[in-house]
């Protein structure tokens, strides 16, 4: 049965936009897919069973943070993160490469050793090598593992980008060796190269020669404009293997996702739905709504009148405005859940439109409206 092993099936295509299905031992994932981010083994403010109710089919966990807390010994005691957090569906884990960039002041890169970190919690030193990253992801029992990479900050300095590609390629080869042969799991390579098309293609060519189960675009959504991001995607995504998943890491807004789907991207993750939920920002078919605004004080309408999920349609915008202003935790819970539900509705509509061959109409209508 194809569900027992990792595989990818391309089902439909509308110009470059694709509908597919990823098969894993823990179930299938319809693409284009959005993965809620559960950095520490929890999608903030959202119950696991509610995640399932939104139609979420896969979530993301983080190697660096889970290595520190709760640690691999605890995770191994429970047989991995799935049982630990009561999530039976697939999990993809970031390798810790993003933390090499985001916590740059706390680490030094050594192409041979890996990233030498001082813990952001207690300053304790440890080495996150390519091999160690894969070992931790195996302890997490991830279904899709990512190679450790060097994700540089936004820069036009080719020397830095070339150096990051050299390091990332070296680490990708070592990750592949450490991963070994395991048809039930997948290992994705990560393309670097900043906003330089030629460097991106060079990085991709090197990764394709190593032969991964999927390919991710890293080093985007790090401060460049949306136009710049789409430009580099349009220049490079066509060269990614067509029979394997294509993943844009750390993206993003609904318009980011739409534009990236238009270039042929299959997978997305972002903290935006829950981070926005904690600040009172809701994503809806009406656009983004800042529920802190006074204009919602007397608004009796719900965020989504068409959902019965957790009775979200019973809560008025006025009530949500009140919860936010009184710093009630329930505001974060309700708006975060709503946002994830909207994102999954959004992805479902995208898949339907691609299958019907009307994705461009959907794209244009959404962009024109919002």
């Amino acid at each position: 049965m194809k569900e027992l092993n990792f595989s990818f099936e391309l089902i439909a295509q509308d110009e470059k936009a694709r509908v597919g299905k990823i098969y894993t031992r823990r179930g299938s994932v319809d693409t284009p897919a959005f993965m809620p981010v559960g950095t520490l083994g929890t999608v903030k403010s959202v119950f696991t069973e509610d995640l399932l109710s939104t139609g979420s089919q896969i979530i993301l966990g983080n190697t660096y943070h889970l290595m520190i807390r709760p640690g691999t010994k605890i995770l191994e005691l429970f047989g991995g993160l799935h049982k630990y957090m009561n999530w039976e569906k697939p999990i993809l884990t970031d390798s810790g490469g993003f933390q090499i960039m985001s916590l740059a002041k706390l680490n030094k890169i050594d192409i041979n050793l890996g990233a030498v970190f001082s813990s952001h919690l207690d300053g304790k030193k440890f080495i996150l090598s390519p091999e160690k990253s894969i070992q931790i992801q195996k302890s997490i029992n991830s279904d899709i593992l990512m190679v450790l990479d060097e994700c540089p900050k936004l820069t036009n300095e080719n020397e830095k980008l070339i150096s990051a590609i050299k390091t990332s390629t070296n680490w990708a080869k070592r990750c592949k060796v450490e991963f070994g042969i395991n048809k039930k799991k997948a290992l994705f390579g990560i393309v670097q190269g900043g906003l330089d098309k030629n460097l991106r293609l060079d990085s991709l060519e090197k990764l394709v020669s190593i032969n991964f189960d999927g390919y991710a675009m890293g080093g985007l959504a790090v401060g460049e404009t949306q136009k710049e991001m789409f430009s580099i995607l349009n220049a490079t995504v066509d060269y990614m293997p067509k029979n394997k998943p294509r993943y844009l890491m750390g993206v993003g807004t609904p318009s980011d996702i739409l534009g990236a789907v238009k270039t042929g991207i299959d997978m997305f993750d972002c903290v935006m739905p829950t981070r926005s939920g904690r600040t009172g920002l809701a994503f809806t078919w009406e656009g983004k709504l800042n529920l802190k605004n006074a204009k919602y004080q007397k608004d009796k309408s719900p965020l989504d009148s068409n959902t019965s999920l957790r009775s979200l349609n019973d809560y008025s915008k006025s009530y949500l405005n009140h919860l936010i202003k009184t710093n009630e935790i329930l505001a974060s819970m309700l708006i975060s859940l709503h946002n994830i539900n909207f994102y999954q509705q959004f992805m479902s509509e995208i898949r339907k439109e691609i299958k019907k061959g009307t994705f461009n109409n959907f794209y244009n209508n959404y962009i024109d409206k919002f």
Side-chain angles (χ1 to χ4, degrees):
M1 294 176 62
K2 65 171 62 170
E3 287 84 3
L4 295 178
N5 292 334
F6 179 90
S7 64
F8 175 72
E9 178 185 9
L10 186 59
I11 294 171
Q13 198 157 344
D14 184 0
E15 296 184 4
K16 293 182 180 181
R18 302 157 23 122
V19 166
K21 193 177 284 283
I22 295 171
Y23 297 95
T24 81
R25 58 187 174 145
R26 287 194 172 88
S28 60
V29 179
D30 295 309
T31 65
F34 179 80
M35 300 180 284
V37 175
T39 301
L40 285 161
T42 172
V43 177
K44 291 185 186 299
S45 303
V46 180
F47 287 106
T48 300
E49 55 267 35
D50 288 337
L51 274 180
L52 292 170
S53 298
T54 66
S56 297
Q57 298 174 319
I58 180 172
I59 62 171
L60 180 144
N62 184 270
T63 295
Y64 170 87
H65 289 288
L66 290 169
M67 168 190 67
I68 293 176
R69 293 183 299 187
T72 54
K73 290 184 179 179
I74 296 294
L75 291 170
E76 288 169 0
L77 179 66
F78 283 82
L81 184 59
H82 299 83
K83 290 183 179 179
Y84 194 56
M85 67 173 292
N86 191 32
W87 174 261
E88 296 181 354
K89 288 183 177 290
I91 292 175
L92 178 148
T93 39
D94 185 9
S95 62
F98 182 78
Q99 281 66 44
I100 293 176
M101 180 191 74
S102 64
L103 301 175
K105 293 182 180 179
L106 299 177
N107 72 79
K108 292 182 179 180
I109 296 173
D110 183 307
I111 192 170
N112 295 313
L113 291 176
V116 182
F117 273 93
S118 295
S119 169
H120 68 287
L121 294 179
D122 57 14
K124 182 179 179 181
K125 291 193 178 296
F126 62 88
I127 296 172
L128 184 62
S129 67
E131 293 79 10
K132 185 67 173 177
S133 175
I134 296 299
Q135 290 163 12
I136 296 165
Q137 292 181 76
K138 286 182 176 179
S139 293
I140 294 169
N141 206 8
S142 309
D143 302 286
I144 301 176
L145 295 75
M146 303 300 298
V147 299
L148 185 67
D149 65 324
E150 180 184 353
C151 177
K153 293 183 178 180
L154 184 64
T155 179
N156 291 320
E157 297 180 42
N158 273 21
E159 288 185 7
K160 289 184 178 179
L161 295 172
I162 291 169
S163 175
I165 291 172
K166 180 181 178 181
T167 299
S168 296
T169 304
N170 175 289
W171 290 356
K173 291 176 181 176
R174 290 162 58 183
C175 285
K176 181 71 182 288
V177 172
E178 185 67 28
F179 179 78
I181 299 173
N182 188 337
K183 294 182 179 180
K184 293 182 179 181
K185 293 177 179 285
L187 179 65
F188 283 19
I190 304 176
V191 181
Q192 293 294 345
L195 299 177
D196 187 300
K197 172 188 172 181
N198 292 326
L199 291 180
R200 284 278 174 181
L201 293 177
D202 177 59
S203 174
L204 176 59
E205 183 180 5
K206 288 178 168 66
L207 293 172
V208 170
S209 69
I210 301 171
N211 188 25
F212 290 99
D213 300 299
Y215 296 88
M217 292 290 279
L220 292 174
V222 292
E224 79 281 1
T225 66
Q226 188 185 69
K227 183 178 179 180
E228 287 173 325
M229 179 177 71
F230 290 162
S231 176
I232 203 68
L233 291 176
N234 275 309
T236 55
V237 172
D238 278 351
Y239 296 92
M240 289 180 158
K242 289 181 171 56
N243 62 340
K244 295 184 178 181
R246 301 161 173 177
Y247 169 26
L248 177 57
M249 305 181 76
V251 172
T253 66
S255 62
D256 286 339
I257 291 172
L258 265 185
V261 167
K262 193 175 175 66
T263 71
I265 293 292
D266 305 307
M267 301 171 67
F268 303 88
D269 80 275
C270 192
V271 298
M272 194 166 291
T274 49
R275 180 172 290 172
S276 297
R278 296 194 299 278
T279 61
L281 185 66
F283 291 90
T284 77
W285 291 108
E286 304 170 46
K288 289 187 290 187
L289 306 182
N290 185 350
L291 294 166
K292 291 184 289 187
N293 287 346
K295 68 179 182 179
Y296 295 114
Q297 281 184 339
K298 297 180 180 180
D299 192 330
K300 295 181 179 180
S301 65
L303 285 172
D304 184 354
S305 59
N306 295 318
T307 182
S308 58
L309 174 64
R310 274 281 178 186
S311 299
L312 287 176
N313 55 0
D314 289 338
Y315 298 98
S316 68
K317 292 169 188 163
S318 173
Y319 180 61
L320 294 170
N321 174 271
H322 161 71
L323 293 178
I324 294 165
K325 289 187 174 181
T326 52
N327 295 314
E328 287 292 338
I329 294 172
L330 185 58
S332 295
M333 297 176 69
L334 293 175
I335 303 169
S336 294
L337 177 58
H338 161 83
N339 284 346
I340 290 176
N341 193 50
F342 170 78
Y343 265 63
Q344 299 303 356
Q345 288 177 351
F346 190 66
M347 302 311 295
S348 178
E349 288 302 313
I350 288 173
R351 293 191 294 267
K352 289 176 185 176
E353 297 292 338
I354 295 172
K355 287 180 180 178
K356 290 191 298 184
T358 53
F359 173 74
N360 277 336
N361 291 337
F362 179 79
Y363 171 89
N364 290 331
N365 289 337
Y366 188 90
I367 295 300
D368 287 345
K369 188 174 181 181
F370 298 118

